[in-house]
Amino acid sequence: MQVSNVFRLEVKNILKNQWLYFSLIISVLLASALVYAIKFMQGPFTIKAISGFYGIGSTIALAIFCTKLYLDDLGSGTITLFFSSQKNRKNYLVGKLLAALLLGFLFGGVCSLVLLSSSAYLGWEIKLLEFIIEPILIYILFSIFYMLLFFLIGIFERNTNNLIIITIITVLAIPSVVERIKLEKASVIVREIINHVPIFFMVQGTKYLQLSSDKLIILSSLIVVLFMTCYYLIGKANY
Amino acid sequence: MTIKMRNIYKKYDQNYVLKDLNLDLNQGEIVGLVGKNGAGKTTLMKILCGNIVDFEGGVSYPVSSSNRPLGFLIENPKFYPNKTGLANLQFFAQLFASKGAGQIEKIIKALDMEAYIAQKSRKYSLGMKQRLGLAIALLGEPDYLVLDEPTNGMDPDGIEEILEYLKYLAQEKQLGIFISSHQLDHIQKVSDFILVIDAGETVKSIDKDELVGAKQVTIVVDNKDIGPTKLILARAGIDFDLKNNALTFQAKELSPILTKLSNAKIVLQDIQIKEQTLKEFYFNRKGGK
């Protein structure tokens, strides 16, 4: 079983999934509603707000798609057919990681199109680097981070319903709860630590396409650590 | 070309579920595995298939030119329930780099799945699911098959077909097949070699030749002849059970024993001879139940 086979089959599954198109359309419609408000209701919004509205739908959908990369195999038991040797287990992980990268590229690419077309429509200045490279890069990091995080959790928690609940809590509930906690009363160190934990900053950072260089370094390092941990543990788990 | 499992131990928590198990699986040979529920059959098969990795002992696989040296069907058949049977086969054929549509068609025909292969597999009966699981196991031209109760839920005709097909695969395609079942007659029918395990240990290894021609014999003798009869049987290396005046034992060649009894002037009041089956072997494996 080769990485290319796992990846190719996953690409087919992704492209045939009608929920992918549905969630992209919903995300684009949300962004379009804000563009409408800016154009016709003099809404005082910036381009970041448009990406933020797009991100309301796209972040949760992307996180669920990333979990589903592994979940369908786990739920149906077909994962045992993939995991018949150490090499196959590792090829599976790499194949799924590439599929997550593709998903991030798709969501980031559509975000780029939304930003470019919105700016053109509203007569705003078009910044190619900010509107193309940034969304694609951030969405790819988002998808890879959550794919690896949920893959790691899935090595220990095999109940697919629980995994979906964990995904939704991680992407929806935790960042909102942290946002609502009045961090002003906490010490500077605690505030800084919380602000630099990826599961707290990743969703908002992706929605508003705002990841500072220190957060990018933390995220990239964590992705490497997550990958190495998954790569090691996947060879040790019984199925 | 042999898969060798040597000194396999596996424990869950502090309890060993497999203890010092050994197995050779040759290409072209069918090895049957029998044992009670919880005896360790599925665990052993999962170790062989690479699904269980933390165990003691060693498994060595021969070098293979196949993309998928080992196909398997363990516990329930595994497939995507929202895909049709055909879509499942196409998916796994691509995954294991099978030789495309030609091979899929052959497998569908061989397993008699044409009537329902285009239906969503979640609608399949248990027997249909078993066939689909077996079909997936066959994709990728494996050298070996590991099948855990593959005929579960099948009708009698279907069971016969599948068993015949497995024999064909072993004899004509030189596949090595490791098969477990609670249906001892199925195991006896197809296996060249049978491994009986209990509580994780090998209780008995039976070569097919041991079963061919083997008989279960019960002789009834007079009270005074019981002692000499026991002595003759013991000297011949035969294990027996004694109940009242009846002695029951297994033997392939009966005439030498009868001659010895006759020479000792022991008169048989009754004699019953039955063809030995795996079932008798299995139930007599620890002194008879």
Side-chain angles (χ1 to χ4, degrees):
Chain A
M1 190 182 89
Q2 303 298 319
V3 172
S4 57
N5 292 353
V6 178
F7 176 63
R8 201 171 52 236
L9 287 164
E10 203 53 61
V11 170
K12 280 186 189 171
N13 277 345
I14 288 169
L15 297 179
K16 278 198 282 187
N17 189 343
Q18 56 192 1
W19 292 104
L20 171 79
Y21 302 104
F22 179 74
S23 57
L24 282 171
I25 289 168
I26 293 290
S27 304
V28 171
L29 285 176
L30 284 167
S32 306
L34 198 73
V35 173
Y36 178 86
I38 294 168
K39 181 84 174 173
F40 299 105
M41 301 162 81
Q42 286 76 50
F45 303 113
T46 64
I47 195 76
K48 294 291 181 192
I50 296 174
S51 73
F53 260 62
Y54 172 84
I56 292 170
S58 65
T59 48
I60 182 68
L62 183 52
I64 290 173
F65 283 126
C66 287
T67 313
K68 268 182 69 65
L69 288 174
Y70 171 63
L71 218 62
D72 288 346
D73 301 331
L74 197 61
S76 62
T78 49
I79 199 148
T80 56
L81 299 174
F82 292 95
F83 283 8
S84 56
S85 70
Q86 292 292 323
K87 182 173 160 259
N88 285 353
R89 288 172 180 230
K90 282 157 188 179
N91 287 349
Y92 177 88
L93 172 63
V94 177
K96 296 287 176 173
L97 188 70
L98 292 174
L101 194 146
L102 175 78
L103 276 168
F105 181 82
L106 277 174
F107 277 86
V110 173
C111 183
S112 291
L113 290 175
V114 167
L115 298 182
L116 287 168
S117 55
S118 302
S119 296
Y121 181 65
L122 295 168
W124 292 353
E125 184 192 352
I126 292 175
K127 298 170 187 168
L128 287 178
L129 191 73
E130 195 181 320
F131 291 179
I132 296 176
I133 305 293
E134 218 171 60
I136 291 174
L137 178 71
I138 290 177
Y139 270 93
I140 284 175
L141 288 172
F142 179 96
S143 62
I144 289 177
F145 170 70
Y146 279 108
M147 183 264 156
L148 288 171
L149 180 67
F150 297 133
F151 193 94
L152 182 61
I153 295 169
I155 292 174
F156 302 100
E157 175 55 60
R158 307 280 172 84
N159 183 308
T160 52
N161 291 331
N162 290 349
L163 277 170
I164 284 284
I165 292 167
I166 290 169
T167 305
I168 292 169
I169 289 174
T170 311
V171 180
L172 276 184
I174 292 176
S176 331
V177 168
V178 171
E179 216 175 352
R180 279 167 179 74
I181 294 171
K182 294 197 184 312
L183 287 175
E184 292 80 24
K185 287 181 184 171
S187 68
V188 178
I189 294 175
V190 172
R191 228 163 35 216
E192 280 304 301
I193 289 172
I194 290 175
N195 281 334
H196 284 80
V197 175
I199 56 168
F200 298 142
F201 72 70
M202 202 56 218
V203 175
Q204 291 303 93
T206 304
K207 278 183 185 170
Y208 296 104
L209 304 176
Q210 282 172 332
L211 287 183
S212 57
S213 53
D214 55 338
K215 285 180 179 171
L216 273 175
I217 291 168
I218 290 170
L219 184 61
S220 306
S221 311
L222 190 60
I223 283 173
V224 172
V225 171
L226 277 173
F227 177 74
M228 288 169 70
T229 310
C230 288
Y231 197 81
Y232 173 75
L233 288 178
I234 200 65
K236 304 275 174 200
N238 294 329
Y239 282 86
Chain B
M1 296 273 275
T2 306
I3 295 180
K4 294 177 194 285
M5 299 182 89
R6 290 288 178 268
N7 312 110
I8 303 294
Y9 288 83
K10 167 69 189 161
K11 63 179 174 183
Y12 290 115
D13 300 322
Q14 293 306 310
N15 301 319
Y16 277 97
V17 292
L18 295 179
K19 295 170 212 159
D20 198 19
L21 269 165
N22 295 284
L23 171 74
D24 284 353
L25 181 58
N26 300 310
Q27 277 193 270
E29 181 180 82
I30 300 180
V31 176
L33 178 65
V34 295
K36 290 191 289 191
N37 289 332
K41 301 189 298 293
T42 302
T43 303
L44 182 66
M45 290 186 149
K46 283 188 165 190
I47 288 173
L48 185 57
C49 298
N51 287 162
I52 288 178
V53 288
D54 67 329
F55 60 92
E56 297 162 44
V59 184
S60 66
Y61 302 90
V63 177
S64 170
S65 57
S66 171
N67 289 319
R68 189 195 189 198
L70 200 142
F72 53 91
L73 164 57
I74 298 180
E75 291 182 319
N76 308 314
K78 310 293 193 304
F79 50 82
Y80 297 107
N82 291 326
K83 290 182 192 278
T84 63
L86 183 61
N88 269 290
L89 291 178
Q90 287 167 339
F91 179 92
F92 287 106
Q94 287 176 57
L95 184 74
F96 303 128
S98 289
K99 287 173 190 163
Q103 199 206 10
I104 292 175
E105 291 303 316
K106 275 185 210 163
I107 292 173
I108 291 171
K109 200 171 169 194
L111 295 176
D112 196 18
M113 298 169 70
E114 293 101 326
Y116 52 85
I117 197 68
Q119 290 174 22
K120 293 271 186 196
S121 47
R122 65 166 176 266
K123 294 178 183 168
Y124 286 7
S125 68
L126 181 57
M128 293 170 177
K129 287 177 181 171
Q130 289 290 122
R131 283 171 192 259
L132 179 57
L134 185 55
I136 291 170
L138 286 165
L139 291 168
E141 301 89 36
D143 300 323
Y144 299 93
L145 276 182
V146 177
L147 306 172
D148 188 10
E149 303 184 33
T151 52
N152 259 3
M154 289 187 188
D155 56 65
D157 289 348
I159 290 171
E160 284 302 310
E161 279 172 33
I162 296 297
L163 295 180
E164 284 304 316
Y165 187 54
L166 293 179
K167 281 165 83 173
Y168 161 79
L169 290 172
Q171 286 162 10
E172 304 300 323
K173 302 286 179 185
Q174 288 301 297
L175 261 71
I177 300 175
F178 189 38
I179 179 173
S180 80
S181 176
H182 289 299
Q183 303 298 318
L184 300 179
D185 50 334
H186 298 172
I187 292 291
Q188 182 175 358
K189 185 170 184 181
V190 296
S191 303
D192 300 303
F193 183 82
I194 297 154
L195 195 65
V196 183
I197 66 171
D198 192 11
E201 291 179 274
T202 303
V203 175
K204 197 166 181 67
S205 306
I206 308 164
D207 194 274
K208 188 178 188 176
D209 295 338
E210 282 181 55
L211 287 175
V212 176
K215 296 170 187 71
Q216 180 170 295
V217 184
T218 302
I219 54 173
V220 179
V221 295
D222 194 74
N223 259 340
K224 65 176 173 52
D225 290 332
I226 290 174
T229 307
K230 282 164 71 175
L231 194 65
I232 288 168
L233 293 175
R235 280 185 182 158
I238 293 170
D239 292 330
F240 55 86
D241 287 328
L242 175 64
K243 199 173 180 182
N244 300 324
N245 289 4
L247 293 108
T248 303
F249 55 91
Q250 277 98 38
K252 269 195 162 182
E253 291 296 324
L254 195 54
S255 51
I257 298 159
L258 295 178
T259 307
K260 280 179 188 167
L261 292 171
S262 172
N263 290 344
K265 308 260 189 270
I266 293 169
V267 178
L268 301 182
Q269 295 179 343
D270 191 14
I271 180 164
Q272 289 174 9
I273 302 167
K274 279 202 300 181
E275 283 298 314
Q276 176 75 61
T277 65
L278 176 61
K279 204 177 261 183
E280 270 108 19
F281 254 107
Y282 181 77
F283 287 113
N284 290 329
R285 68 194 188 279
K286 277 186 174 172
K289 272 190 212 172

